[in-house]
Amino acid sequence: MSKSFYVTTPLYYVNDRPHIGSAYTTLIADMVAMYHRMKGDDVFFLTGTDEHGQKVQQAAEKNGISPQEHCDMYATRFRELWSYFNLSFDDFIRTTEPRHENVVTHVLQKLFDEGEIYKDTYEGWYSVADELFITEKDYEEGKYRDVRKISETNYYFKMSKYQDRLIAYINEHPDFIKPENRKNEILGFLKQPLKDLCISRPKERLSWGIELPFDKDYVTYVWFDALLNYVTAPGYLKDDEHFNKTWPAVHLIGKDILTTHCVYWPTMLMAAGIPLPQTIFAHGWWTAEGQKMSKSLGNFIDLETIQSHCDNVGKDVYRYFMAKEGPLFSDSDFSKERFYQTYNTDLANDFGNLVNRIFKLIKKYYDGKIPVPGEMGDDEKAMENTSKACEAKVMELLDDLNINAIASEVIGYVTSINKYLEKTEPWKLAKTDLESTKTVLYTALASLRFSASLLYPLLPEKMTEFFSMLNNGDTAGTMMAWDGLKSGMELGEMKALFPRFDMKKLESM
């Protein structure tokens, strides 16, 4: 029976171009969505752009354009990157859209009418760069940039009212915040008294935002605005049937926005009477060549750098590397050596070598037609049984959003196919026993076909090419049983899916 599954990326702030961090989160979300579609789930995958706030207004003024023109330009850049990777999102939401502004206005008015929002004057430190009021301790520790002291009257959400309820919810729902270290970080944060949240900015200081419905002199604080996109997109207030079927969501985010998503967001939902998300998964950061990424250090991995690697070995390879080596649970390092070595080891040596071996032998000894197997021996039965265990493990890991382990699990099965061939040596066996060789090659190809189906969300273009070469009537993107390979079908033209990369080229890159 199919289930609804709703997965989101954060909305990317339109003050910078897409980079390895935004690409990583979105690619992982795409893979998770694709695995759930393979399971038969009714998937809704959301991404988009966060377009209000002081930094947007300042950037637009600096470039002599309107804030909306600035947003349109950057939203297009994100769309172009997602199109480049052929991502399968169902909706791309922008916080400047009327459908979103309507939801924000409704929630603000509801909370104001119910006494959850009040007006007060604040005196203290404010980070312009982060658009955030900060504590004296934060100021002394120098955690924030462009900090100034201000005295300002604003509207506040009674976030502190929900502190104990939030702590109880986190403790009672172990899958709410993942991984475990992020949950512990939030519980540690909540040991200190939770302050109320300033949810407005006076128009005299900031005009680019959603106007408060109960005070025309103010606009909404960017985080209170942006977070509500997650309920706007599936149809909150507009399509109750779709919203109730789709919500709650699984949010994939970076650890830098952990507090906003795991404290601000759930307390807002509690106040509004909306169920909380299913899971908030906060991954780590990419480093580059062992160092924190920085434009000043010259090691920042931007769109051009990503595309240069894709030009060398294909977009799918970049996607696979993100899956297998990415920072789901802790920070992870990107280096050219690691990227191309992973490609050579997992894809060129393992998967690509298997295709070459199996296809050539079938074409040589069986006129390119998939042979009819004889009786399966212990080794063949083991390959089939291991495939079932592999599929079960992948589905278990999917529940934990552990794409790292899924990639390792499936490529581990691919490695076992190579070991099976090394043991059975069909290139030797064919010279004396063509009947037994049929069983060996069928087993190897059935195992490869099965592994390709599980690799599809990680390597969709390459695995689609493989299924075309296999010419077995398969539809890429569906779960394939090990014993579903059809005998007698003629293989298509063999192509080099993963040509080995010459590591000496790195010296000139």
Side-chain angles (χ1 to χ4, degrees):
M1 182 178 176
S2 67
K3 299 185 297 182
S4 292
F5 180 77
Y6 177 22
V7 62
T8 84
T9 70
L11 293 197
Y12 300 110
Y13 200 47
V14 291
N15 68 327
D16 205 352
R17 300 184 68 187
H19 50 75
I20 189 173
S22 50
Y24 174 70
T25 314
T26 316
L27 285 167
I28 294 298
D30 189 54
M31 295 170 202
V32 169
M34 291 175 75
Y35 275 116
H36 275 275
R37 290 192 190 102
M38 286 175 65
K39 283 179 63 180
D41 291 342
D42 185 5
V43 173
F44 187 65
F45 169 23
L46 174 71
T47 189
T49 45
D50 175 6
E51 302 186 1
H52 290 124
Q54 194 161 355
K55 284 181 281 189
V56 172
Q57 180 173 297
Q58 290 173 339
E61 290 171 353
K62 181 179 179 181
N63 292 313
I65 59 177
S66 72
Q68 189 64 61
E69 288 173 317
H70 173 93
C71 293
D72 292 345
M73 178 175 62
Y74 277 89
T76 298
R77 288 175 177 173
F78 279 98
R79 277 189 174 276
E80 287 173 347
L81 181 58
W82 304 157
S83 177
Y84 174 76
F85 280 112
N86 296 316
L87 299 189
S88 64
F89 55 86
D90 299 287
D91 196 353
F92 185 102
I93 192 169
R94 300 176 57 183
T95 56
T96 49
E97 293 179 45
R99 59 170 172 161
H100 177 66
E101 293 185 7
N102 291 339
V103 168
V104 174
T105 300
H106 169 85
V107 172
L108 284 167
Q109 189 65 60
K110 173 182 169 65
L111 297 189
F112 183 75
D113 292 344
E114 294 175 356
E116 299 286 345
I117 293 174
Y118 63 93
K119 197 173 187 180
D120 200 3
T121 299
Y122 168 86
E123 291 188 10
W125 299 107
Y126 180 75
S127 168
V128 176
D130 295 282
E131 301 187 39
L132 190 69
F133 294 97
I134 65 173
T135 65
E136 187 73 31
K137 181 181 178 183
D138 288 335
Y139 171 73
E140 291 173 356
E141 292 177 353
K143 290 182 178 180
Y144 297 92
R145 297 168 293 130
D146 195 4
V147 175
R148 60 192 66 174
K149 204 156 199 175
I150 66 171
S151 175
E152 193 170 87
T153 300
N154 270 303
Y155 287 89
Y156 290 80
F157 162 55
K158 294 181 179 179
M159 189 164 68
S160 60
K161 173 181 174 180
Y162 296 93
Q163 180 167 6
D164 291 342
R165 184 174 162 187
L166 178 58
I167 293 170
Y169 189 90
I170 294 170
N171 287 324
E172 292 165 6
H173 296 80
D175 290 336
F176 180 56
I177 302 174
K178 288 184 175 182
E180 191 75 13
N181 58 337
R182 309 291 180 224
K183 179 176 77 173
N184 293 336
E185 186 178 335
I186 288 298
L187 288 173
F189 175 83
L190 290 170
K191 287 181 179 178
Q192 303 299 318
L194 191 61
K195 294 185 177 181
D196 290 342
L197 178 67
C198 179
I199 55 94
S200 71
R201 298 293 184 265
K203 281 187 179 178
E204 61 189 27
R205 179 160 68 84
L206 172 64
S207 60
W208 183 241
I210 298 175
E211 189 177 88
L212 295 186
F214 44 81
D215 194 328
K216 306 303 182 185
D217 292 329
Y218 291 84
V219 296
T220 311
Y221 170 48
V222 65
W223 272 112
F224 198 94
D225 155 10
L227 289 164
L228 285 163
N229 91 89
Y230 300 128
V231 296
T232 298
Y236 180 65
L237 299 181
K238 186 177 181 181
D239 186 344
D240 289 344
E241 182 179 355
H242 188 258
F243 178 76
N244 292 332
K245 182 183 77 169
T246 305
W247 187 261
V250 171
H251 298 313
L252 290 174
I253 63 170
K255 66 179 182 178
D256 53 321
I257 51 176
L258 182 66
T259 303
T260 52
H261 280 78
C262 296
V263 179
Y264 295 11
W265 180 222
T267 56
M268 288 165 57
L269 291 170
M270 286 176 176
I274 301 171
L276 270 58
Q278 177 182 324
T279 299
I280 303 167
F281 191 107
H283 62 73
W285 288 335
W286 282 101
T287 57
E289 312 288 346
Q291 293 181 296
K292 184 176 180 180
M293 287 189 197
S294 167
K295 290 180 180 178
S296 60
L297 291 175
N299 66 348
F300 192 78
I301 300 179
D302 56 16
L303 183 57
E304 286 76 15
T305 306
I306 291 171
Q307 291 179 331
S308 69
H309 293 307
C310 293
D311 289 342
N312 288 331
V313 289
K315 291 177 282 187
D316 267 16
V317 175
Y318 181 81
R319 183 183 177 103
Y320 176 81
F321 182 82
M322 294 286 103
K324 188 166 184 281
E325 305 295 339
L328 273 180
F329 299 95
S330 59
D331 293 350
S332 187
D333 190 63
F334 186 99
S335 69
K336 294 191 293 288
E337 290 79 6
R338 186 181 177 199
F339 176 79
Y340 290 104
Q341 191 60 55
T342 297
Y343 166 71
N344 278 344
T345 301
D346 292 3
L347 301 179
N349 293 357
D350 278 356
F351 196 96
N353 183 46
L354 273 173
V355 173
N356 292 337
R357 275 182 164 183
I358 298 169
F359 274 54
K360 284 181 179 178
L361 287 169
I362 291 176
K363 286 182 179 294
K364 181 176 181 179
Y365 292 104
Y366 305 105
D367 297 323
K369 294 180 180 179
I370 300 171
V372 178
E375 185 177 351
M376 299 287 179
D378 290 342
D379 289 334
E380 288 72 38
K381 290 176 182 177
M383 292 304 298
E384 182 175 9
N385 291 335
T386 304
S387 77
K388 295 174 183 176
C390 178
E391 181 181 336
K393 185 63 176 179
V394 166
M395 293 302 108
E396 177 187 327
L397 292 167
L398 183 61
D399 289 339
D400 289 330
L401 304 173
N402 194 342
I403 295 293
N404 288 158
I406 287 176
S408 294
E409 182 72 22
V410 181
I411 209 66
Y413 184 75
V414 172
T415 301
S416 76
I417 307 171
N418 269 314
K419 290 179 179 177
Y420 168 74
L421 288 182
E422 292 297 330
K423 181 178 181 180
T424 55
E425 297 183 311
W427 46 88
K428 291 184 179 179
L429 186 63
K431 296 174 182 178
T432 59
D433 189 349
L434 280 173
E435 285 301 311
S436 295
T437 306
K438 288 179 180 179
T439 304
V440 171
L441 292 177
Y442 180 90
T443 297
L445 192 56
S447 301
L448 187 60
R449 171 182 173 272
F450 163 79
S451 62
S453 73
L454 283 181
L455 282 172
Y456 176 80
L458 313 184
L459 295 151
E461 291 185 7
K462 290 295 185 180
M463 292 306 101
T464 298
E465 282 187 54
F466 169 75
F467 289 123
S468 177
M469 290 163 52
L470 189 59
N471 195 31
N472 208 242
D474 297 318
T475 301
T478 58
M479 195 71 75
M480 297 175 193
W482 186 92
D483 58 0
L485 180 65
K486 300 172 186 174
S487 299
M489 303 290 286
E490 187 171 356
L491 296 175
E493 181 185 354
M494 185 177 69
K495 302 175 183 177
L497 287 177
F498 301 108
R500 186 171 177 80
F501 180 80
D502 184 359
M503 297 295 284
K504 292 180 180 178
K505 292 181 179 179
L506 294 181
E507 297 173 5
S508 59
M509 290 174 62

